[in-house]
Amino acid sequence: MAKINAGVATSHVPAIGAAIDIGITDNEYWKPLFEGYDYAKEWIKKQKPDVVLLVYNDHATAFDSNLVPTFAIATGEEFKPADEGWGPRPVPNVKGYPEFASHIAQSVIQDDFDLTVVNTLDVDHGLTVPLSLMFGQPENWPCKVIPIAVNVVLYPTPSGQRCYNLGKSLRKAVESFDEDLNVQIWGTGGMSHQLQGPRAGLINKEFDNAFLDDIVDDAENLALKPHLEYINLAGSEGIELIMWLVMRGALNDEVELKKRHYHVPASNTAVGHLVLENK
C-alpha cells in the first residue's frame, strides 16, 4: 500500500523564489536562509519520494473572492506555474497523479470532508517556492505532486483542529491506495508576518519558536489554538500556519525531528522549516 513516511514544513515567501530565479542566493542577505535548507536537499535525495501531497494556499491566482474553496484538491495531469503579475516563474511544470488524487478525493469526501475537486490549475509561489527550496533547480521535478489548497486568505478560514483532522483523513486515504508508493506530505506558509495596516512588518520570534516546538511534540493541543491568537500574536498572515497542521495530522503521533531551521527576515517575513520522519 501507499504510505506517508515523512513530512516537511516550510515557508513559501515569494521573494525566496525571486532570489533563486535571479541567482542571488549566496549574497549576504540570503545566504543564511538558504543554508538552512542544505540538509533537506541532501535528505530528500536519499528519501526519493514518489509523490508529495503539497498543502499550500493560492494567493488570488487560481481562486479569487468570487470562488474560494475551504479545501481543494487538484486532480489534473500537469500544472503550470502561474503568472502572478510579473510572468510565470522559470521552473518546470508540476506533474500530477490523477488516479491517486482521485482516489484521495473519493476517500476524503466519503470521510465527510467537502473537498473541491479541481482539474485545471495554475500553481503560484505558494507551491513552487517549496519545491525549489527542497529540490533546487532541476530540469524536471523528481516526483509527482498533488496540490491541496487551503483557504487562509478570505475569512472565515478553517480551524486548526479541522486542518489537523484533514491530515488524518488524508493519511487514511493514502493508506487505502493499492500501490506501493513512498509518499510525503508538506505543509507550507507562515511563519509570523503581516503585510498591511499599522502592524505591517510584524514578526514574533517567541510565537514562532513555540509553534515549532509544539507542532513536533504537542500537536493535539496546538490544533486547539484559536484563530484570534494567531492574528494577535503572529499577524494577519500568520494564520497560514494552520496548513502545517494538515501535514502534522497526517504523520504518526510520535515523529523524529531531523531538521529545524528558523530565520528572520526574508523580505518582511519570518521563515520556518522542519523535516519530520515517522517513528
Side-chain angles (χ1 to χ4, degrees):
M1 67 179 183
K3 186 177 182 181
I4 296 175
N5 294 300
V8 172
T10 181
S11 302
H12 60 212
V13 184
I16 292 175
I20 295 170
D21 298 341
I22 65 177
I24 58 171
T25 59
D26 281 335
N27 73 15
E28 182 179 355
Y29 182 87
W30 287 108
K31 188 175 182 179
L33 183 147
F34 286 102
E35 286 180 339
Y37 288 83
D38 288 346
Y39 172 87
K41 287 181 177 179
E42 294 304 313
W43 170 85
I44 205 162
K45 288 178 184 177
K46 298 174 184 177
Q47 293 292 316
K48 296 181 180 178
D50 299 304
V51 187
V52 168
L53 309 183
L54 206 157
V55 184
Y56 79 111
N57 69 285
D58 177 80
H59 299 79
T61 301
F63 309 118
D64 60 26
S65 59
N66 292 311
L67 179 62
V68 184
T70 301
F71 299 117
I73 185 168
T75 57
E77 293 188 2
E78 187 173 65
F79 312 105
K80 296 179 180 179
D83 184 346
E84 299 181 64
W86 48 87
R89 287 193 64 214
V91 296
N93 289 352
V94 175
K95 301 297 184 182
Y97 196 157
E99 297 85 359
F100 192 23
S102 297
H103 168 84
I104 291 171
Q106 161 75 15
S107 177
V108 172
I109 290 170
Q110 290 299 309
D111 205 23
D112 296 335
F113 277 90
D114 297 325
L115 293 183
T116 298
V117 178
V118 183
N119 294 308
T120 302
L121 180 74
D122 289 350
V123 291
D124 68 16
H125 73 269
L127 186 138
T128 63
V129 166
L131 289 173
S132 296
L133 284 167
M134 295 296 294
F135 293 122
Q137 296 174 289
E139 185 176 342
N140 294 293
W141 301 122
C143 65
K144 295 181 178 180
V145 176
I146 298 177
I148 299 173
V150 179
N151 171 37
V152 292
V153 174
L154 187 68
Y155 276 78
T157 63
S159 68
Q161 185 67 63
R162 187 72 170 157
C163 290
Y164 188 62
N165 290 344
L166 174 60
K168 293 183 178 297
S169 187
L170 287 169
R171 174 176 175 167
K172 178 180 174 183
V174 167
E175 292 180 349
S176 65
F177 190 62
D178 191 19
E179 185 175 339
D180 289 332
L181 294 172
N182 177 13
V183 182
Q184 291 184 4
I185 184 164
W186 298 3
T188 72
M191 299 191 84
S192 63
H193 63 300
Q194 180 153 327
L195 302 180
Q196 70 289 306
R199 296 199 306 165
L202 179 148
I203 291 175
N204 186 338
K205 295 181 182 180
E206 183 178 356
F207 176 94
D208 290 337
N209 280 287
F211 189 95
L212 289 167
D213 290 339
D214 291 343
I215 199 166
V216 176
D217 297 322
D218 195 19
E220 289 198 2
N221 282 324
L222 181 61
L224 301 176
K225 186 184 291 292
H227 279 17
L228 282 177
E229 190 169 336
Y230 286 96
I231 294 169
N232 288 336
L233 299 179
S236 54
E237 279 69 48
I239 193 63
E240 289 181 349
L241 285 167
I242 63 173
M243 294 186 290
W244 292 29
L245 287 165
V246 181
M247 176 275 296
R248 187 63 182 87
L251 300 179
N252 292 350
D253 291 342
E254 292 188 9
V255 293
E256 182 178 358
L257 175 62
K258 305 298 289 186
K259 177 63 181 180
R260 172 177 171 148
H261 176 50
Y262 181 71
H263 178 78
V264 175
S267 184
N268 60 351
T269 306
V271 169
H273 168 51
L274 297 172
V275 175
L276 306 175
E277 290 183 5
N278 277 332
K279 284 189 177 180

